[in-house]
Amino acid sequence: MPVEICRLYENPSLREIGGGLIRPGGLELTKKALAVSALKPGGRLLDIGCGTGAALRYLIDHCGFRAVGIDPSMLLLSEGRAKNPGLPLAGATGTLLPFADRSMDGVLAECSLSVMSDVEEALGECFRVLDSEGALLIHDVYARNPPGAAGLRELPFKSCLTGAVSKEQWIERFEGCGFNVIFWEDHSRALKEFAARLIFEHGRLETFWGCSTETPGLEQGARIQSALFSARPGYFLAVARKAGEPFSARSGR
Ligand SMILES: C[S@@+](CC[C@H](N)C(=O)[O-])C[C@H]1O[C@@H](n2cnc3c(N)ncnc32)[C@H](O)[C@@H]1O
């Protein structure tokens, strides 16, 4: 099946705002997730949806992990390779990981799970490649007003915001795929700061959204902004560990 690429993340303005990263929270959130997970230097780490590999470089050069990153965007990967020749970046999707069962000590998904069309399938792949003591480190968007999230699915582009679900739904997803959530922390302030930087860059959020779709324009931007407002998007950091066989495997689903 062809992989749907999220063109939104190929917009260079997002990388400028994130200091090379394409999401809120910077490397501070990566550090916090690593500290909670207690993963040790030398461990095998997979960064799913790694973009240009800015966090991956940090994991290898500053933390001593044996890390590898995958992303389906050839544009982001080639930019990452040009910046950091030799960085282990591979073209792949989170729903079909090119790694053996139990070959990783940690899987990192920094604002990339909610972008995928089948999050459960991606979580199933995380479960498969993680060792039994392995940890899943996630930060992502969630809907702080879940009834408002339905409007996000109608938006004319795909992004982590359009895939936002409630905290309860996220936890249900993790548990349904065989994980125990050992840590959950709200980091919505980081999302607000990211939005503030977008406003600083584009004048207003409507302008940014308006130029991020196939049918650009301020009116479209205002529609997107209003849907976001109803869902009250927040940002979370979570760490989960393998608990047992995923629900789907247990029930034969
Ligand atoms: C919000 S960006 C985060 C990028 C990076 N993790 C970071 O911290 O800067 C989401 C990333 O997920 C990637 N992505 C989109 N669909 C994907 C999929 N099906 N599997 C894996 N990654 C995907 C995008 O290309 C993009 O690089």
Side-chain angles (χ1 to χ4, degrees):
M1 210 170 61
V3 177
E4 191 188 349
I5 309 282
C6 284
R7 298 291 170 207
L8 176 71
Y9 299 118
E10 295 181 342
N11 180 339
S13 124
L14 281 179
R15 296 199 285 295
E16 268 166 42
I17 283 166
L21 298 164
I22 322 173
R23 51 142 179 107
L27 286 175
E28 288 313 309
L29 271 193
T30 311
K31 289 179 199 168
K32 173 103 203 224
L34 288 172
V36 175
S37 72
L39 284 168
K40 301 275 180 298
R44 302 156 300 172
L45 206 52
L46 167 64
D47 184 358
I48 296 187
C50 63
T52 60
L56 182 67
R57 189 178 156 200
Y58 170 79
L59 295 168
I60 296 172
D61 292 354
H62 295 271
C63 309
F65 286 108
R66 287 178 287 154
V68 58
I70 63 110
D71 201 285
S73 164
M74 291 306 142
L75 187 145
L76 294 175
L77 291 175
S78 59
E79 187 177 311
R81 288 181 185 122
K83 255 193 214 151
N84 295 294
L87 199 64
L89 295 166
T93 162
T95 49
L96 194 62
L97 296 174
F99 302 101
D101 296 1
R102 298 172 189 268
S103 55
M104 299 289 163
D105 300 305
V107 172
L108 192 67
E110 299 187 299
C111 204
S112 59
L113 273 180
S114 56
V115 177
M116 300 180 205
S117 354
D118 194 333
V119 178
E120 275 80 5
E121 207 177 329
L123 284 172
E125 278 292 87
C126 294
F127 188 93
R128 181 184 66 76
V129 301
L130 270 174
D131 212 344
S132 43
E133 301 295 310
L136 176 63
L137 290 60
I138 317 108
H139 38 103
D140 219 314
V141 179
Y142 73 110
R144 288 182 293 166
N145 179 36
L152 297 176
R153 319 281 177 254
E154 312 295 318
L155 292 178
F157 64 100
K158 181 104 181 79
S159 82
C160 50
L161 289 162
T162 57
V165 297
S166 67
K167 173 181 176 180
E168 291 70 25
Q169 281 170 294
W170 268 115
I171 291 179
E172 219 172 275
R173 274 175 171 172
F174 294 132
E175 291 179 351
C177 293
F179 290 99
N180 261 343
V181 178
I182 58 161
F183 184 85
W184 174 288
E185 193 169 72
D186 180 79
H187 283 272
S188 301
R189 195 185 164 82
L191 185 61
K192 267 193 196 157
E193 284 166 6
F194 198 75
R197 281 189 233 151
L198 276 174
I199 293 171
F200 199 71
E201 180 77 12
H202 293 271
R204 53 205 275 207
L205 277 177
E206 285 84 342
T207 315
F208 170 73
W209 292 121
C211 64
S212 303
T213 67
E214 299 282 319
T215 49
L218 258 185
E219 208 175 296
Q220 182 74 282
R223 196 165 83 77
I224 296 171
Q225 193 51 29
S226 142
L228 291 177
F229 191 73
S230 336
R232 279 194 69 230
Y235 204 66
F236 72 88
L237 165 63
V239 175
R241 286 200 180 280
K242 281 177 94 162
E245 278 303 293
F247 178 69
S248 53
R250 285 199 304 265
S251 62
R253 203 160 30 113

